[in-house]
Amino acid sequence: MTYNSLFSVLTDESLVEETLAHATSMAARYDAHLDVLCLGVDRSQSGYYYSGASAIVLQETIARAQQEATAIETKARALLKNSSLRWAVEAGVSQLADLGRHVAARARFSDLVILAQPYGKGRGAELEPATESALFEARTPVIIAPAGGEPVPNPGRIMIGWNESNEALGAVRAALPLLKEADVVHVVVIDPPTHGPNRSDPGGLLSQYLARHGVKVEIDVLSKTLPRVSDVLLRHARDMDADMVVMGAYGHSRFREAIFGGATRYMLEQATMPVFMAH
């Protein structure tokens, strides 16, 4: 298994360089084809305007979105034109409510999606649905590029947030090409259950599975010493100087039910290293 087809979505001209730096470095590492979708987003809610104004406002917002798409496409092509990569750039316009459909339709035919960090200062509202549609509708693994972070195409130290869920296992399987090449992979288990088949060896079956793939594994069992599990994960990732975090992605409807709680969103808000997620 490898990553032969990569995909990225650009919706903000100010994030083009940052996002493409991560995408191109990963494409070069795996000699993969990189597809880039440059979207101008119409963020208007036409139903909220008074009668007779909707058509005028819609025309203006669509025109503005087309200008944004052209500017993003121009910048992306300028950054890619002198590279030795195999790449393709497509531009288009989408309304915010329909953005997920466009992203999912293309992401589902890729091995890995590279996206900008969806939360934080100056991050547009369209970044969240782009991320969610790639994960939950296209069911494609995603690497979230941290704001201001350097590309890490060859992560040497990888941390897995493990809670025995199907989502976490799916993320591990999807990340195997990266895990097999890492210097060390830490399987992090927080407050393992005191009852159950794996209580005496938390993370043992996963480490066995990874070892059979040639992954160098260590198991870290931690206590929940901070209010949120995600706080513990992030602190441990920083303590071990992790190059990347691998974890399952949980939909909003499951945030309060999952062991990780709101770890998905919190990790995407606070992580300073690339986060590899799959659902």
Side-chain angles (χ1 to χ4, degrees), residues 237-254:
R238 293 173 183 134
D239 288 346
M240 63 171 278
D241 195 22
D243 297 313
M244 179 176 288
V245 174
V246 174
M247 61 182 291
Y250 303 89
H252 289 308
S253 63
R254 295 194 58 191

Side-chain angles (χ1 to χ4, degrees), residues 10-236:
L10 304 174
T11 58
D12 187 330
E13 188 178 357
S14 66
L15 299 176
V16 170
E17 289 186 40
E18 178 180 293
T19 308
L20 280 186
H22 289 265
T24 55
S25 66
M26 192 64 69
R29 173 66 188 86
Y30 289 97
D31 189 26
H33 190 284
L34 174 62
D35 290 302
V36 180
L37 177 62
C38 304
L39 280 179
V41 182
D42 170 18
R43 301 171 181 83
S44 65
Q45 298 291 337
S46 57
Y48 293 162
Y49 298 107
Y50 62 83
S51 178
S54 294
I56 298 173
V57 173
L58 182 61
Q59 182 178 2
E60 292 178 350
T61 57
I62 290 295
R64 189 183 308 118
Q66 288 174 334
Q67 292 174 355
E68 291 176 0
T70 300
I72 294 169
E73 179 188 17
T74 300
K75 192 168 185 177
R77 288 184 179 277
L79 291 170
L80 291 168
K81 68 178 182 180
N82 294 322
S83 73
S84 59
L85 300 175
R86 288 170 286 119
W87 56 272
V89 172
E90 177 185 1
V93 172
S94 171
Q95 289 191 308
L96 182 59
D98 198 38
L99 183 144
R101 180 175 64 87
H102 296 289
V103 173
R106 291 160 178 79
R108 64 196 294 257
F109 293 105
S110 61
D111 299 317
L112 183 63
V113 180
I114 296 92
L115 298 173
Q117 196 167 19
Y119 307 112
K121 185 178 180 180
R123 303 280 155 156
E126 74 279 357
L127 297 177
E128 181 181 43
T131 304
E132 291 186 348
S133 62
L135 283 167
F136 303 126
E137 295 177 42
R139 297 297 179 108
T140 306
V142 171
I143 288 181
I144 301 298
E150 293 295 322
V152 189
N154 299 294
R157 301 175 66 82
I158 300 178
M159 189 190 86
I160 297 173
W162 179 243
N163 65 349
E164 298 187 7
S165 67
N166 290 331
E167 290 86 352
L169 183 56
V172 169
R173 285 192 172 126
L176 270 176
L178 291 163
L179 299 175
K180 289 193 288 187
E181 296 176 1
D183 297 328
V184 63
V185 173
H186 287 251
V187 175
V188 178
V189 184
I190 299 173
D191 280 352
T194 55
H195 303 284
N198 300 318
R199 64 186 183 278
S200 61
D201 187 20
L205 290 176
L206 176 64
S207 65
Q208 176 183 273
Y209 168 75
L210 291 173
R212 289 173 178 171
H213 282 275
V215 179
K216 304 174 187 66
V217 190
E218 295 183 12
I219 299 176
D220 302 336
V221 180
L222 307 177
S223 297
K224 187 184 175 185
T225 55
L226 295 171
R228 290 175 291 203
V229 169
S230 46
D231 290 323
V232 181
L233 288 173
L234 276 173
R235 183 180 65 181
H236 193 65

